[in-house]
Structures are given as C-alpha cells and as structure tokens.
Amino acid sequence: MTLSTAAVIFEGDGRPALYLGTLTAGGHPQVFRVPEGVGVTVEVPHPLPEGKRRVFLPAGSGVTFEGEGGQGQRLALHAVRAARELIEALGTYAHARQTWEEARQVFAGEGAGAA
C-alpha cells in the first residue's frame, strides 16, 4: 500500500481523528482511521525536496504506525505532496488533540464544581 493523502477530521464529540487515504498495489483507494494511541514515524529526507521538478521521494521513504504491544505497519511514501500533507496533518492532529484534552479537563472541572 502507498500513502496518498492524510487529513484530520473532527468527530461528533469534537474529538480529532487522523484519517489516511491509501492506494493498494492495484491502484484501488482505501480510507483508514488511525486509532488513538498509535505512534507515527515518518521517514523522509529532510528537508523535503523543493521545486516543481522534484515530485517523488527517494526509495525507502515511508511512514510507520506502531500500536500498543509493538505491532506496526509501514506504508510506502512516494510523493512529496503526500509527505507534506502527512506532516501537516500530524502537526494539526497533535495540536487539536492537546486542545481537545485541555477543554475536556476544563469542562470536567466545571461539572465537578457545580455538583
């Protein structure tokens, strides 16, 4: 499978979730939700190639998802655009997750004080 896109989607309770779009070896698109608590490691050249002529990443570029217990899955990452989207989505997700957790603590504290 190859990673083709990444996005942060806010679910019904406001919780941020990281979603990935992939392409199978046959070119079929699939969408996955990354479970909470999964570690994500991105392996790309740093800095990412700039300019219009460089659109593909070197072989070996990818992203690894590691769950509890050390189980993991690695997706190939071929396009510079997909790498930029993934890195941006990971930053957005981390910030949104922190903000969501802080807001939950504030509201939980207000609810406890009102009782």
Side-chain angles (χ1 to χ4, degrees), residues 38-53:
V38 168
V40 181
T41 304
V42 181
E43 300 158 17
V44 295
H46 184 75
L48 285 172
E50 295 288 338
K52 295 179 183 176
R53 294 179 186 214

Side-chain angles (χ1 to χ4, degrees), residues 1-2 4 21-30:
M1 263 191 279
T2 301
S4 60
T22 64
L23 294 174
T24 64
H28 301 286
Q30 296 179 320

Side-chain angles (χ1 to χ4, degrees), residues 18-104:
L18 182 62
Y19 281 81
L20 304 175
T22 64
L23 294 174
T24 64
H28 301 286
Q30 296 179 320
V31 176
F32 296 96
R33 181 186 187 278
V34 178
E36 292 178 23
V38 168
V40 181
T41 304
V42 181
E43 300 158 17
V44 295
H46 184 75
L48 285 172
E50 295 288 338
K52 295 179 183 176
R53 294 179 186 214
R54 183 70 180 175
V55 295
F56 296 108
L57 292 169
S61 297
V63 58
T64 303
F65 301 91
E66 189 171 333
E68 295 177 19
Q71 296 178 333
Q73 177 159 359
R74 189 172 196 289
L75 298 178
L77 195 54
H78 297 302
V80 171
R81 177 202 51 79
R84 289 187 198 285
E85 275 186 17
L86 174 63
I87 292 167
E88 183 178 326
L90 288 171
T92 300
Y93 176 73
H95 177 68
R97 183 78 192 171
Q98 179 181 358
T99 301
W100 182 79
E101 287 177 358
E102 290 171 356
R104 299 268 303 169

